[in-house]
Amino acid sequence: MAAAAGDVCGAVPGGRGGAGAAAEARFISSAKGKGLFATKNICKGETVFVERPVVSSQFLWNALYNYRACDHCLRALETAEENAQRLLGKSSLVLPYPEQCSIRKDLHQQCPQCQVTYCSAECRQAAWEQYHQVLCLGPSRDDPTHPLNKLQEAWRNMHYPPETSSIMLMARMVATVKQAKDKEWWIKAFSQFCSKTANEEEEIVHKLLGDKFKGQLELLRLLFTEALYDEHLSRWFTPEGFRSLFALVGTNGQGIGTSSLSQWVHACDALDLPMLQREELDAFIDQLYKDIEKESGEFLNCEGSGLYVLQSCCNHSCIPNAETSFPENNFLLHLTALEDIEAGEEICISYLDCCQRERSRHSRNKILRENYLFTCSCPKCLAQADDADVTSDEEEEGEGETDDAELEDEMTDV
């Protein structure tokens, strides 16, 4: 969602491209907030920018189910073969062309205090310098009475898969400010993300926690305060401030998906093979995915969410001219042009997946209102404004089952 008016959208620390030469955030209106606009002509297929999140975290259930990811950048830690073996429940599986797997286990490191795992010394150091000194559980990692463990357990008991957010994203925001020398810089960085009215915030919390959200939100606030209270952020721990922080994460959190198996498949696709070997490899991969779907369903990726300053400025369109992806198997977000974009043109992504975008205007806006609290006015919706507000029987049959799962699949596409 676009950031609120009056905020400053800047480059993320360490990001590649930052505000860059290709795009910049501009204020549109008080109702719509900001948008992202091209500052030069961009060709179809061109990377508009690559962005590092201000903060990110793996989903708690995803981690509990042994989707092993770097605790900082979410890079998948399993080899492609290990990934496929776990998803299939078949330890004897052997993947061809194992050299196409990019996972470097020799580079993996653990925190010496709490043993969380990182993909590299660089990630371990980056986490330690930004937030991990506050969040490191040390020998209390498996102690259910530790305040942070109580907070995580409470969250898991409230927010079940398919996951769309994590209380630990909020915890890392607090820990980042607590560790920072320049606390005001980080508070300003987090304030760049859009804010909502009190009623809208309640709707977002209701969406994430369900019908008992008011009591659950207060329990989370008390546990959050016990684990992380900081005087510099005292407003975030009040009932109103915590609700606003919760809604900020629920509104702006961008899903992240990583997969060593997916990376191996892409590498195999690029191999220059004789026709017979290509056909055999393609058939093997097709059958592998069919078998995995039968065994594990659609939950294939290491999944989490992050806050991205530039990406959060991208508004929705049902005919998007750009899309996000995570081709580096970590939290680096790539925004890629889906068509030629002229200088001065707004860059829009879609909050809906491909199937949802083909539904009627009424159906599309029903999903957008329920999940993002707005009605779309993109060119496609305006052109269909006179269409009847009816939903086909086929759409009605699928809507109840697909909204959350399909949105999450779209968010974490790799």
Side-chain angles (χ1 to χ4, degrees), residues 117-164:
T117 307
Y118 300 96
C119 68
S120 64
E122 290 77 14
C123 274
R124 182 172 69 84
Q125 186 67 20
W128 183 255
E129 292 177 353
Q130 183 179 339
Y131 55 80
H132 191 64
Q133 294 174 53
V134 170
L135 298 178
C136 182
L137 290 167
S140 300
R141 183 180 183 185
D142 298 318
D143 179 4
T145 65
H146 190 284
L148 276 173
N149 286 331
K150 287 162 61 178
L151 177 65
Q152 293 182 69
E153 181 63 20
W155 176 257
R156 279 192 292 264
N157 288 330
M158 296 178 191
H159 188 65
Y160 294 94
E163 298 170 274
T164 56

